[in-house]
Amino acid sequence: MRITQGRIRKGIALAAIVLATAATASCARDTGGGTGAGGAGGAAECTRNAPPAAAGATTSTQLAPNADASGLKVGMAYDIGGRGDQSFNDSAAAGLERAIAELGLAQANTRELAAAPNESEDAAATRLRQLVADGFNPIIAVGFKYASAVQTVATESPDVKFAIVDDSTVELPNVTPLVFAEEQGSFLVGAAAALKTQTCKIGFVGGVETPLIEKFEAGYVAGAKAVAPNVQIDVKYLTPAGDFTGFNDPAKATVVAKGQLDAGADVIYHASGASGQGVFEAVNTAQKMAIGVDSDQYKTVPPPVNQVIITSMLKRVDTAVFDYINSVAGNTTGSLPKAFDLKVDGVGYSTSGGRVDDIVPQLDAYEGAIVAGSITVPTTP
């Protein structure tokens, strides 16, 4: 599927000490394929299945007409890395910028704050309270690590509307969850990896081993296996659950990705936030293939490194942020989906650079099967 400005249009065809530290700190596993698939000594032939029958093209429409947001003051509390992470936070920022451009939201009536790595829950709550005290309403918390802080501050401020991205555990009338079917988009890029690999071995680099990032892993593995049952997937996480530095450590990501490449992987998908730049650097040095995440990273990563990005799993945080601001302005929050999935273009894949143009029909066939319900994508590894 191709990218348009507002929507996805579907159905178109790193010293030794550092090395040792990273190797011991990362969590690893390998899935499937047997010993013959793509070791460092040579390539193996992937046995590839035919794609499912095409289910027909679908084009989504905007959830609600544009409302007037000129009277709103919108606060954004970003996750680790903040604006400029070339991934998750930047996608949220794009949704805010779209609301400024299309809904009459005044730039002066917005404020953007960001989290620090491994900060306390009190720091997150203080950030949200600062936005409340300065009159911002609604307030959008970008990332599941805000869940406890949102629960606390939203309870204290029942007249302020909050949204939280990637969490649905805060059950308050003034809190809207913005969650995604990451496994569905990851399935599609897993299929792309299996169609593109020449060694029959691919990699996945997760930032932090949490249930959320495991959704990316699960979908990626399922999509790859749907295409090539004998493909090997080398899965590694930069940090365990609770250590959020994995989302902002490109140096460690470079080491981990290099290890996967040295072991024979020729396509690596990352779900690691700002750490992904390290994955791309390693892949660029090896001149292999990479898959981006959250936003179209071919467009956000500076050249020439971006040339190794064959596609990105699009998690349309931009769309969700825009739709939420629009729904607050129009008093239509009830129209928001329970999850932003393939049906509403909440997830997808990019085609920038033309590296997957030849397999778009196969990917769209898998997409159609997911939307139709004939393929159910797992959410856990």
Side-chain angles (χ1 to χ4, degrees), residues 53-71:
T58 60
T59 302
S60 70
T61 58
Q62 189 168 313
L63 294 174
N66 282 1
D68 180 8
S70 60

Side-chain angles (χ1 to χ4, degrees), residues 72-79 83 92-93 96-97 100 105-114 126-142 146 321 325:
L72 298 182
K73 292 184 67 175
V74 180
M76 295 284 288
Y78 292 120
D79 206 343
R83 185 190 274 265
L96 179 64
E97 291 169 354
I100 293 168
L105 176 65
Q107 180 81 57
N109 286 341
T110 67
R111 183 174 299 171
E112 303 172 57
L113 306 175
T126 297
R127 186 177 307 114
L128 298 180
R129 289 191 182 104
Q130 179 181 342
L131 291 170
V132 170
D134 291 342
F136 289 92
N137 184 10
I139 296 169
I140 302 169
V142 185
Y146 279 102
V321 166
I325 295 171

